[in-house]
Amino acid sequence: MLLNEMNPSIKALSILVSILLLSIFFDPVTPLLSLVLTIVITFSFAQVSFKKWILLFSPFLFMAIVYVWSSLLFPRVDPGDSIIWEWRFITITAEGFQRSISLGLRVLSFASLSLLFALTTNPINFLLSLMQQCRLSPKIAYSIMAGYQFLPLIKDEFSIIRSAHRIRGAGRTITLRDKLKQIKRYAIPLLASGIRKAERTAVAMESKGFTGDRNREFYKVISISKKDWLLLCLLISVVVVSAFTSHQLGYLSLYKGEL
């Protein structure tokens, strides 16, 4: 079962349900186990580069560290909390420390699930699946698809405009005011070029018989198989098993608006 071949809509539903289930719990063990199991699933059932994964995961790791650090520095101290360290205005309690770790691990767990979807899903297949399984309007889906295809063209167009400016003597700028003027000089031709491309694409699609009708045939059919539902069960089982293990260890706690 390769995650890259799963139905994108069912995969998105699986990730969404898993995140909603995880958000119910607020203890350190449940998100930690879920994070570990999600990473194991990602690299066992998907063709994902570890270097790319760690590069995309790093910002979330930094964000989790900031959350933990800020929660430790500015904790909510309730009567009866066990103080483990105190210095001037900083008071660290056992309950606050557990809440901070739980918050950081929740961020990492959500990030690992999101990366599982992002790194194993083709955007074009996802849009085709949304049209075929979720009845998304073809007008919206093909507009997004066309915009996605335009991104590399915009980069090439920007390089051409910048080279043209340099040939005419409008080279590099130093001051902030000149940089703002330069952005304006680049933005207007890019916008005009984008509008022209969009008009030509719309005319071409209409000339080929595109009407936006939902009852249409697709050049690529995205189907749903038993493996897709198996993935849904697997990801939900990950959260349930993590919560059950946390309960057995005596750490399980539900979210009660602690933040």
Side-chain angles (χ1 to χ4, degrees):
M1 180 180 67
L2 281 176
L3 295 175
N4 306 64
E5 300 169 359
M6 297 286 109
N7 183 288
S9 294
I10 302 298
K11 198 192 304 179
L13 176 66
S14 307
I15 300 295
L16 181 63
V17 172
S18 299
I19 289 176
L20 289 176
L21 281 176
L22 266 177
S23 63
I24 296 173
F25 306 105
F26 199 75
D27 62 88
V29 177
T30 304
L32 175 62
L33 291 176
S34 176
L35 171 65
V36 172
L37 292 174
T38 304
I39 293 174
V40 170
I41 291 173
T42 300
F43 289 102
S44 300
F45 299 106
Q47 297 172 343
V48 175
S49 164
F50 178 74
K51 186 178 178 181
K52 186 176 182 181
W53 186 89
I54 200 69
L55 188 66
L56 294 173
F57 189 73
S58 301
F60 297 103
L61 183 61
F62 175 74
M63 193 186 304
I65 292 172
V66 170
Y67 279 152
V68 171
W69 182 249
S70 59
S71 299
L72 284 175
L73 283 182
F74 308 102
R76 189 187 69 186
V77 181
D78 296 325
D81 284 356
S82 305
I83 298 176
I84 55 178
W85 190 68
E86 191 173 16
W87 181 71
R88 295 188 180 182
F89 64 92
I90 300 175
T91 303
I92 297 178
T93 63
E95 291 76 7
F97 182 74
Q98 182 171 325
R99 281 195 295 268
S100 304
I101 296 297
S102 302
L103 179 62
L105 288 172
R106 273 161 66 105
V107 171
L108 296 180
S109 188
F110 292 164
S112 66
L113 285 166
S114 303
L115 287 179
L116 185 150
F117 177 78
L119 294 176
T120 63
T121 305
N122 184 307
I124 304 300
N125 289 345
F126 183 42
L127 286 170
L128 289 172
S129 177
L130 287 177
M131 280 191 286
Q132 295 173 31
Q133 273 87 49
C134 302
R135 306 295 294 168
L136 177 68
S137 170
K139 288 184 179 179
I140 298 174
Y142 279 107
S143 300
I144 298 172
M145 211 179 291
Y148 180 73
Q149 299 292 342
F150 279 163
L151 289 178
L153 299 178
I154 291 175
K155 182 183 176 183
D156 295 340
E157 193 77 23
F158 175 75
S159 300
I160 293 170
I161 293 171
R162 186 174 57 181
S163 300
H165 277 255
R166 286 182 178 176
I167 289 171
R168 293 173 184 175
R172 296 176 182 175
T173 55
I174 299 175
T175 63
L176 179 62
R177 187 176 179 182
D178 291 339
K179 287 183 182 298
L180 292 175
K181 288 181 178 178
Q182 189 183 47
I183 291 173
K184 185 179 177 182
R185 286 199 301 269
Y186 289 162
I188 292 175
L190 275 176
L191 183 62
S193 173
I195 292 172
R196 281 197 297 269
K197 282 187 173 62
E199 286 180 342
R200 286 198 290 266
T201 304
V203 171
M205 290 175 72
E206 287 182 0
S207 66
K208 298 289 184 182
F210 179 77
T211 60
D213 186 11
R214 294 175 189 271
N215 300 318
R216 55 181 286 118
E217 294 182 354
F218 295 94
Y219 70 94
K220 185 175 183 179
V221 177
I222 308 294
S223 59
I224 299 176
S225 65
K226 291 181 182 177
K227 291 181 181 178
D228 299 309
W229 298 114
L230 186 62
L231 175 65
L232 175 63
C233 297
L234 177 63
L235 291 182
I236 291 175
S237 300
V238 165
V239 181
V240 173
V241 168
S242 302
F244 179 74
T245 307
S246 178
H247 174 68
Q248 292 297 105
L249 295 174
Y251 284 98
L252 185 65
S253 175
L254 300 180
Y255 179 66
K256 299 174 184 175
E258 285 88 346
L259 300 178

